[in-house]
Amino acid sequence: MKMKKFTKTHEWVEVEGKNATIGITAHAAEELGDVTFVELPEEGKEVKKGEALCAVESVKSASDVYSPVSGKVIEVNTELDASPEIINEDAEGKGWIVKLELSDESELDDLLTEEEYKNSL
Amino acid sequence: MENLKRTPLFEEHVRLGAKMVPFGGWEMPVWYTSLKDEHHTVRNNVGIFDVSHMGEIDIKGKDALKFVNYLITNNVEKIKPEEIVYSPMLNENGGIIDDLLAYKYSDEHVLLVVNASNIEKDYNWIVKQAENFDVEVKNISDITAQIAIQGPKAEEMLQEISGVDLKKISYYNFTEGRINGIYCLVSRTGYTGEDGFEIYFDKEAALPMWRKLIELLPKYDGKPAGLGARDTLRLEATYLLYGNDMTDDITPFEAGLKWAVDMEKDFIGKEILLKEKETGIRRRLKGIEMLERGIPRHGYKVFVGNEEVGFITSGTVSPTLDKPIALAMLNKPYYKKDTEVEVEIRGKRVKAKVIKTPFYRGSVKTRK
């Protein structure tokens, strides 16, 4: 069963089994404006919850993307290299950034539900 | 967003769906729909910018010309009435207090247009310097609105509602007359690298002026544009931004503004510049190009080997060139063309090199 959670720092994570797909929220993409560059992490990189996972640059600014959970990077969305604007078009779908192998599922409990996230905006 | 000032067009921007951000003490539109789109619209067609946040300081009196010439580095004595000069204004240490436009009405009247975030600082400085001159200094920023109409189709569009023959206004010249029936100062100036106009008028008339321009835009494939596009446009054209590329401790020679300094006359800060001319500058603002992936941003450090040799003053992805561009303040001798440097981007060193500017030349008429 899929489960989708959100962070206060505007990331989303969708979990299926041990795999977590991560991106920035549609709201964050709109706030950033035209995304021009996504600095993707290396596959195999270990990240801790709350650490900077990668960076998304828009014409106007650079923003860190913080990992909602701890784990190991198992896949990156290389489509974003050629077409970073996918994030503006579909931030919570085709604009996903990385997939992690979760190391601690209990961390998901601290994250926001979609409703909680929307209320926080 | 407490205590932020708003232009008379604030409600119009909100109504158009603009994303409003704090900018130099003002709440301004950064974009309406898309920065990139607005940028291309100005390069290819025409865009309008609400720049009512800019400051206007009127200098009138017997000594007006003499005073302004002492105040700024460029020379207003050498230009005719209805002509404009761009100029830095320096402190006693040769640092740039602000960069401004000086509009010469006559020998007894010059209008200075200054940056929004510097209005108070500039006004206080100017009043202090005016003590020994027979002039009256008046800050008319709060009663003045300004709109910039920029792009290759700016003249054609604005002419539709202009009682003034715009063809007769050459680059860096101005005149007075009616636009949309509203009494204006209209100049062929702008900060985008494109041909265009800046119009100044009573702020009470801001709404009918803006709405008329908005109504005209679709016919010329034009759009309102925000400060985001203004920033990428000015950077491509290598027009400097106060606070980023120029500050109180950067001299005009360091900023590459030698062309706007007349060393033949007296002005505040000249002694320091004379010394600098003798000893040579220690650093210089230059364009850089990335040789590896990454976007240099304001404040990022620049290295050659293990030596920190400068910092990025402005950087972005150029929408026209579709690649990162940046200005960097680089120490001697690393500002020479083709010098390979490294920019530290989020802890990583990324290769770049010094290149010639401007990054892009638009439809703007060549400077005299």
Side-chain angles (χ1 to χ4, degrees):
Chain A
M1 203 189 84
K2 283 189 188 176
M3 176 174 58
K4 197 172 176 187
K5 291 263 187 150
F6 295 82
T7 66
K8 283 180 192 154
T9 49
H10 312 289
E11 291 88 12
W12 58 267
V13 52
E14 193 169 66
V15 181
E16 204 174 2
K18 276 242 163 219
N19 287 355
T21 307
I22 292 163
I24 64 167
T25 66
H27 170 78
E30 206 184 305
E31 286 289 304
L32 272 174
D34 300 310
V35 173
T36 49
F37 178 58
V38 183
E39 189 187 74
L40 295 164
E42 306 258 312
E43 274 182 37
K45 181 183 171 174
E46 298 268 358
V47 286
K48 287 213 172 68
K49 178 181 172 162
E51 269 182 9
L53 180 60
C54 63
V56 174
E57 301 237 17
S58 69
V59 181
K60 205 66 201 118
S61 65
S63 306
D64 283 327
V65 177
Y66 301 99
S67 191
V69 288
S70 307
K72 188 167 88 176
V73 177
I74 50 170
E75 198 183 336
V76 297
N77 186 357
T78 49
E79 298 258 325
L80 297 176
D81 275 338
S83 312
E85 66 277 6
I86 297 173
I87 293 204
N88 293 109
E89 289 154 14
D90 191 11
E92 299 188 26
K94 288 194 188 106
W96 66 275
I97 301 172
V98 299
K99 288 186 181 167
L100 291 187
E101 187 181 276
L102 276 179
S103 60
D104 182 359
E105 278 170 60
S106 71
E107 286 174 350
L108 292 165
D109 300 340
D110 308 333
L111 300 175
L112 308 174
T113 63
E114 183 153 17
E115 201 190 339
E116 285 167 338
Y117 174 70
K118 286 204 167 135
N119 288 337
S120 77
L121 297 179
Chain B
M1 294 202 222
E2 278 169 44
N3 300 323
L4 289 174
K5 290 205 243 176
R6 291 172 173 183
T7 78
L9 296 169
F10 176 84
E11 302 290 341
E12 293 300 291
H13 303 317
V14 172
R15 212 168 49 82
L16 287 164
K19 179 175 157 59
M20 306 300 290
V21 296
F23 178 87
W26 293 75
E27 197 175 356
M28 298 296 289
V30 62
W31 61 71
Y32 297 86
T33 52
S34 152
L35 187 158
K36 274 194 193 173
D37 193 30
E38 289 159 26
H39 179 107
H40 294 310
T41 298
V42 173
R43 284 268 178 263
N44 300 323
N45 305 315
V46 55
I48 61 170
F49 298 86
D50 173 19
V51 277
S52 300
H53 61 316
M54 299 285 286
E56 292 83 14
I57 297 170
D58 222 11
I59 316 282
K60 280 182 179 167
K62 202 161 64 68
D63 291 341
L65 203 62
K66 205 168 99 188
F67 172 60
V68 172
N69 241 14
Y70 172 66
L71 196 66
I72 68 175
T73 62
N74 213 335
N75 198 328
V76 284
E77 278 179 7
K78 282 188 180 164
I79 61 167
K80 298 186 196 90
E82 299 205 330
E83 288 185 350
I84 305 159
V85 290
Y86 169 87
S87 181
M89 173 168 74
L90 307 185
N91 56 34
E92 287 103 340
N93 301 321
I96 303 171
I97 293 176
D98 203 0
D99 65 326
L100 53 80
L101 290 182
Y103 287 69
K104 180 177 180 173
Y105 283 88
S106 68
D107 288 0
E108 298 189 358
H109 183 194
V110 180
L111 173 72
L112 304 179
V113 179
V114 304
N115 282 299
S117 52
N118 290 339
I119 296 173
E120 210 178 321
K121 176 179 89 166
D122 290 356
Y123 177 71
N124 291 336
W125 171 258
I126 293 168
V127 166
K128 199 176 125 200
Q129 303 309 319
E131 277 171 10
N132 299 321
F133 292 86
D134 184 1
V135 289
E136 188 196 353
V137 180
K138 213 168 156 188
N139 179 5
I140 55 166
S141 306
D142 286 346
I143 55 166
T144 310
Q146 187 194 346
I147 295 175
I149 301 102
Q150 301 280 297
K153 294 181 187 169
E155 184 185 292
E156 199 190 342
M157 182 178 91
L158 196 60
Q159 191 61 62
E160 274 204 39
I161 53 166
S162 177
V164 174
D165 185 358
L166 298 176
K167 277 208 169 52
K168 288 193 177 151
I169 308 174
S170 45
Y171 189 52
Y172 265 64
N173 276 58
F174 72 98
T175 193
E176 291 169 283
R178 296 208 177 258
I179 291 179
N180 194 30
I182 295 156
Y183 188 73
C184 290
L185 182 166
V186 46
S187 60
R188 192 168 216 128
T189 48
Y191 227 57
T192 61
E194 297 304 327
D195 185 26
F197 299 87
E198 290 177 302
I199 58 176
Y200 303 78
F201 46 90
D202 191 295
K203 79 163 187 192
E204 307 298 331
L207 217 58
M209 185 67 94
W210 177 262
R211 285 185 176 164
K212 185 71 191 175
L213 290 166
I214 288 283
E215 191 188 304
L216 284 172
L217 283 169
K219 188 173 152 193
Y220 297 90
D221 297 312
K223 281 179 181 162
L227 292 183
R230 194 172 162 83
D231 189 46
T232 49
L233 288 159
R234 69 93 197 162
L235 185 53
E236 285 181 349
T238 320
Y239 296 160
L240 310 189
L241 176 65
Y242 195 84
N244 279 38
D245 314 308
M246 292 172 278
T247 64
D248 290 296
D249 58 18
I250 290 173
T251 73
F253 290 164
E254 290 174 335
L257 295 172
K258 199 172 157 190
W259 61 270
V261 179
D262 185 349
M263 294 299 279
E264 303 292 308
K265 57 146 198 160
D266 269 333
F267 57 86
I268 302 164
K270 187 184 174 185
E271 273 176 39
I272 304 287
L273 296 195
L274 278 171
K275 265 187 222 157
E276 205 180 21
K277 226 179 146 185
E278 228 169 79
T279 54
I281 50 170
R282 63 190 172 105
R283 55 183 187 172
R284 173 80 156 78
L285 195 67
K286 283 283 177 176
I288 62 164
E289 167 183 271
M290 302 308 292
L291 300 174
E292 294 176 322
R293 293 198 69 167
I295 303 168
R297 300 281 182 185
H298 174 70
Y300 288 6
K301 291 172 181 171
V302 180
F303 291 84
V304 170
N306 282 326
E307 192 186 346
E308 192 179 325
V309 301
F311 55 91
I312 302 294
T313 59
S314 286
T316 190
V317 175
S318 154
T320 308
L321 306 170
D322 198 23
K323 64 178 192 188
I325 54 170
L327 289 171
M329 185 60 82
L330 298 169
N331 296 344
K332 199 176 172 181
Y334 303 108
Y335 54 70
K336 282 204 191 94
K337 193 174 155 264
D338 294 329
T339 303
E340 285 206 17
V341 298
E342 286 181 311
V343 183
E344 191 174 270
I345 303 178
R346 291 181 290 275
K348 262 200 301 200
R349 301 269 175 92
V350 181
K351 285 200 175 79
K353 82 171 183 191
V354 179
I355 59 161
K356 230 183 112 187
T357 48
F359 302 103
Y360 179 80
R361 232 180 261 279
S363 61
V364 68
K365 317 288 190 238
T366 321
R367 256 174 230 279
K368 285 173 292 191

